[in-house]
């Protein structure tokens, strides 16, 4: 595996999980958090900071990545006795931390911006809005285009596609994929997705179906 691409998988997942017109999230907060948490852990696997071992994660290098979001996750894990349960950490990070870290990264990159709305009475409200309404459609469009031309997805996009399916986001962003293209995606999962990332996707799928939070060790 190599280091993450310029736009990190968790950023792509965040964008894909929001409506481009109003910036409305397409997933419940808990499910969105699961996808973002799994994507951040996947990024740390790309950075070679974590070594998966079945249902466990071993921290093999606590050196900061140079990226604030993944470095913050790394710091949390370094301060907790290991080895770390993969499913536990997905759930742990999904309860707000993952979304906050990714939003900060997107703000710093200018993909999100803060907007304050004034009120006649009382203080105004500040919210995050998309700098470019077209940006949420780009990650899924990239995946759909590669599949339609029978082109190979890179490993980062395969992980992204796996998390889109695991969280049910595909009902919104891959709904136009025909059976042939979905079969091509399944074939690429089987042939190209590393076992560690396939395991990560499986744990994300399980976490979306589990309503009971689990405290990370």
């Amino acid at each position: 595996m190599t280091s993450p691409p310029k736009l990190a998988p968790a950023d792509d997942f965040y964008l894909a999980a929001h409506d481009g017109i109003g910036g409305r999230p397409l997933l419940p907060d808990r499910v969105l958090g699961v996808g973002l948490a799994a994507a951040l852990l996947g990024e740390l696997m790309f950075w070679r900071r974590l070594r998966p071992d079945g249902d466990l994660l071993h921290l093999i290098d606590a050196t900061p990545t140079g990226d604030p979001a993944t470095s913050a996750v790394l710091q949390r894990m370094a301060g907790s006795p290991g080895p770390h349960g993969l499913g536990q950490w997905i759930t742990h990070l999904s309860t707000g931390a993952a979304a906050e870290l990714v939003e900060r990264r997107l703000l710093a990159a200018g993909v999100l911006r803060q907007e304050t709305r004034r009120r006649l009475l009382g203080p105004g409200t500040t919210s995050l809005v998309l700098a470019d309404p077209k940006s949420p459609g780009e990650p899924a469009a990239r995946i759909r285009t590669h599949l339609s031309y029978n082109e190979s997805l890179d490993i980062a996009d395969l992980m992204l596609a796996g998390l889109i399916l695991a969280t049910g986001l595909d009902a919104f962003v891959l709904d136009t994929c025909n059976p042939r293209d979905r079969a091509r995606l399944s074939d690429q999962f089987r042939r190209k997705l590393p076992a560690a990332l396939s395991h990560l996707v499986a744990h994300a799928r399980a976490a979306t179906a589990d309503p009971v939070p689990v405290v990370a060790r």
Side-chain angles (χ1 to χ4, degrees), residues 110-131:
V111 179
L112 293 177
R113 59 182 175 84
Q114 291 185 326
E115 182 177 87
T116 300
R117 294 186 177 182
R118 304 293 182 182
R119 293 181 177 181
L120 291 176
L121 298 175
T125 59
T126 300
S127 59
L128 297 178
V129 297
L130 295 158

Side-chain angles (χ1 to χ4, degrees), residues 58-143:
H58 296 274
L59 179 59
I60 57 175
D61 185 356
T63 305
T65 63
D67 161 61
T70 48
S71 293
V73 175
L74 200 61
Q75 185 177 26
R76 283 189 180 216
M77 299 187 82
S80 177
H84 307 272
L86 176 54
Q88 290 177 317
W89 271 93
I90 289 176
T91 302
H92 174 64
L93 294 170
S94 72
T95 57
E100 182 179 348
L101 291 171
V102 172
E103 285 173 347
R104 286 181 185 173
R105 188 163 67 182
L106 290 171
L107 274 168
V111 179
L112 293 177
R113 59 182 175 84
Q114 291 185 326
E115 182 177 87
T116 300
R117 294 186 177 182
R118 304 293 182 182
R119 293 181 177 181
L120 291 176
L121 298 175
T125 59
T126 300
S127 59
L128 297 178
V129 297
L130 295 158
D132 181 358
K134 299 189 297 295
S135 60
E138 292 172 357
R142 184 174 66 242
I143 292 171

Side-chain angles (χ1 to χ4, degrees), residues 27 32 35 66 74 76 95 102 109 128 140 147 153 157 160 183 188 211 214 216:
L27 298 173
L32 174 61
L74 200 61
R76 283 189 180 216
T95 57
V102 172
L128 297 178
L147 293 175
L153 299 173
D157 272 351
L160 174 62
Q188 291 196 38
V214 179

